[in-house]
Amino acid sequence: MKTQASEILLVEDNPYDAELTLNALKINNLDSKVYWVENGEQALEFLYAGGEYSGRDINIKPKLILLDLKLPKEDGMEVLEKIKSDEKMKTIPIVILSSSREVSDIIKSYKLGVNSFVVKPVDSEEFLKSVSELGLYWLVLNQPPE
Amino acid sequence: MKKQSNIAPDNIVELRGKAIAKFKKYNDEMVLPKTKEELLRFVQELEIHQIELEIINEELQESRAEVENILEQYTDLYDFAPVGYFTISHDGKILKANLGASSMLGIERSKLLNRRLEQFLSWDSITAFNELLQRAIREKIKVSCEVCYIKVLNNTITSTMSKESSNLNMPCAHIEMLSSENAQEIRIAMIDITERKRNEVELNKYKDHLEEMIEERTLQLTEKDEILECELCEHKKTEAALLISNKELESFSYSVSHDLRAPIRAIDGFTRKLFEGYNSILDDEGKRLLDVVLKNTKNMGMLIDDLLNLSRLGRKKMEPSEINMEELVNEVIIELNDFEEDKKPEITVQHLPAVNGDRALIRHVIFNLLLNSIKFTAHREKPIIEIGYLTKDHQNIYYIKDNGVGFNMKYAHKLFEVFQRLHSLKDFEGTGVGLAIVQRIIHRHGGTVWAEAEVGKGATFYFSLHNNGEIYEDSSI
């Protein structure tokens, strides 16, 4: 896996949702830039070049983190908080992709500094549409901080 | 001297004898008159005396008549008094009795006289009576006691009651006794108190019984009270449990709906991939089968999302404010107009009064109802929708009226149930949760929602808020 050149970090525990996400990003040819981890612990290890990722260059930061909220071990909100409170990492755009539409979750994540909150549609066609547009926006249209 | 006198001849002789005797007492001899003049004067004086006497006699007669009259009255009073009067001697013998006494004892007056009064009393009363008699004679004041007496039937005197007889059913009387100064005559008034005594006994019985009854009743009531308190306690517990259960249920249905989304999305996504990726090698039947799967997952997805909405709106915290209904309705119309492009219905909005409520939730209500109206009038040449309000029984009732397909009033009660649809899916799409959401919101505002319709003509949905005057706050939240 080309961990170095990964521009999108996908943090998703459900493999089917992960596959659908990749399919969606493939529409705009962004799938090759994705690195997928299954939980929060791995996500942080990846970012901070810890554990099995100790060979990674910590200065190469992903252009986008797609973050699911419901994760085993450390949940999405904790990961969000950790990243956004770290001076070196807080500039990475994070988009929460979640099944939850709970207002409390939305407000809390914005207060923690999330860049966008998207609710995963239950209809797969809509899901594909939303994620592909999302990817296009953040990787092509949006200007990254670095 | 020729005057008549009322005195009988024998008495006249007696009288003269008495008079002469008396005369002789005060005069030694009888002195005869000497002269004619003396004689005449003497006779004159005698005649005057005679007249005086006659006058006196007349007066006496009058007095006597009066006395007799009074005596008659007195006798009447005495005889017919409603009590028994006795006059007895110092040794208890009946000297006199009135009719009242006679009837009280049941014995003819003549048969009472000279008998001892104690003969007619009960065994137990004799001692008391005699003691009383002694006291009356001794103290010369009015004394009294109660006795039981024998009432006789058929005019035969029975022998004195023996000791063993009980007094319970004997007649009783109250006796008042007063002795004359010389203790030769003692006057007795005897008042029957049998009835009174009987009543007293009855009353006491009832009194005791009443107290018993009261005690019983109090016990009963205390028991009932305890039971009711228990029930109340139970009810409160049940209520609390229900509230918790309700909250848990809503929580549960939320998390279930929430967790179902991912798998549905997966089924939908992968089936679609299959459909698109292997389209070329599928025959018509194969394509049809996959199409059915996709349609159903889509439906399932919508149901889940609707359920989630229903649950969310039921749990959302109410934020009441004054709502400008006209403004809100127009807002929703604009949003829906963007929605529908083909046939724009003619929508008229009357003047609507403002109301207190949660704006977001009421918006939802209007959105849903209006959406329904638009949906069910879509087939019409000229869809007409009217939004207005009316007042009935001091309530503000808002309504949305359309000329759509309507429904059969027979099923009106099912309208607001979750997933209840009155039209088939192929005629009109929808999951049947919309109205359930509307009702939930209206109920949270303490209001009511209902509908009237006619098949083929159209439907009108009515709702009012705050029937009880306040916003109903969900205490579970």
Side-chain angles (χ1 to χ4, degrees), chain A residues 17 19 23 102 121 124-125, chain B residues 254 261 265 268 272-273:
Chain A
D17 272 347
E19 191 175 327
N23 286 345
E102 283 292 298
S124 64
E125 269 189 317
Chain B
Y254 175 80
R261 294 174 90 237
R265 178 172 44 246
D268 190 49
R272 199 173 296 275
K273 245 175 122 173

Side-chain angles (χ1 to χ4, degrees), chain B residues 159-381:
Chain B
S159 54
T160 324
M161 294 278 283
S162 64
K163 237 185 184 177
E164 288 76 40
S165 331
S166 105
N167 277 344
L168 283 175
N169 294 321
M170 287 188 81
C172 355
H174 175 84
I175 287 187
E176 302 225 328
M177 222 185 261
L178 182 64
S179 168
S180 64
E181 266 307 310
N182 58 6
Q184 290 310 309
E185 285 187 348
I186 295 97
R187 283 187 260 285
I188 294 178
M190 188 163 159
I191 305 156
D192 182 82
I193 56 170
T194 317
E195 199 61 36
R196 196 190 84 189
K197 280 266 174 214
R198 208 179 290 149
N199 287 344
E200 262 176 34
V201 170
E202 281 285 303
L203 208 70
N204 277 336
K205 260 200 329 197
Y206 276 119
K207 197 176 91 172
D208 289 335
H209 191 226
L210 197 71
E211 284 186 2
E212 249 179 59
M213 270 173 55
I214 290 176
E215 257 191 58
E216 238 183 77
R217 210 62 175 106
T218 313
L219 206 71
Q220 270 183 13
L221 285 172
T222 317
E223 271 177 25
K224 267 214 173 103
D225 203 25
E226 280 176 8
I227 294 175
L228 280 174
E229 276 216 39
C230 257
E231 279 183 14
L232 188 70
C233 223
E234 283 299 314
H235 276 161
K236 285 209 173 132
K237 278 197 216 157
T238 311
E239 197 187 319
L242 276 174
L243 278 172
I244 294 174
S245 165
N246 224 21
K247 197 167 172 206
E248 283 177 357
L249 206 67
E250 279 192 329
S251 224
F252 173 76
S253 69
Y254 175 80
S255 50
V256 162
S257 316
H258 182 272
D259 293 344
L260 285 172
R261 294 174 90 237
I264 294 171
R265 178 172 44 246
I267 296 171
D268 190 49
F270 283 80
T271 311
R272 199 173 296 275
K273 245 175 122 173
L274 180 66
F275 188 72
E276 284 161 10
Y278 294 81
N279 206 297
S280 46
I281 65 160
L282 283 170
D283 64 345
D284 283 339
E285 180 61 7
K287 289 183 192 159
R288 188 191 74 84
L289 291 173
L290 283 176
D291 191 49
V292 168
V293 173
L294 284 173
K295 276 211 171 76
N296 276 280
T297 52
K298 189 176 175 121
N299 203 17
M300 196 155 62
M302 273 166 52
L303 274 171
I304 292 290
D305 271 349
D306 279 345
L307 268 179
L308 272 173
N309 257 336
L310 176 61
S311 158
R312 197 167 52 87
L313 291 169
R315 292 156 66 235
K316 175 185 175 285
K317 188 157 182 219
M318 301 254 283
E319 281 154 50
S321 66
E322 173 128 328
I323 307 172
N324 182 330
M325 286 296 262
E326 279 181 34
E327 200 180 84
L328 187 59
V329 167
N330 284 310
E331 226 179 81
V332 173
I333 292 174
I334 292 171
E335 186 183 332
L336 286 170
N337 265 340
D338 286 345
F339 235 79
E340 294 292 315
E341 293 150 359
D342 353 7
K343 253 194 232 165
K344 282 205 167 106
E346 180 193 311
I347 308 178
T348 41
V349 182
Q350 283 181 19
H351 161 66
L352 303 171
V355 75
N356 235 325
D358 182 306
R359 196 175 200 278
L361 293 179
I362 298 296
R363 189 183 203 283
H364 226 95
V365 167
I366 296 173
F367 185 92
N368 254 298
L369 293 177
L370 206 47
L371 186 64
N372 275 352
S373 286
I374 292 173
K375 188 160 74 177
F376 289 99
T377 55
H379 65 291
R380 285 263 188 241
E381 263 301 308

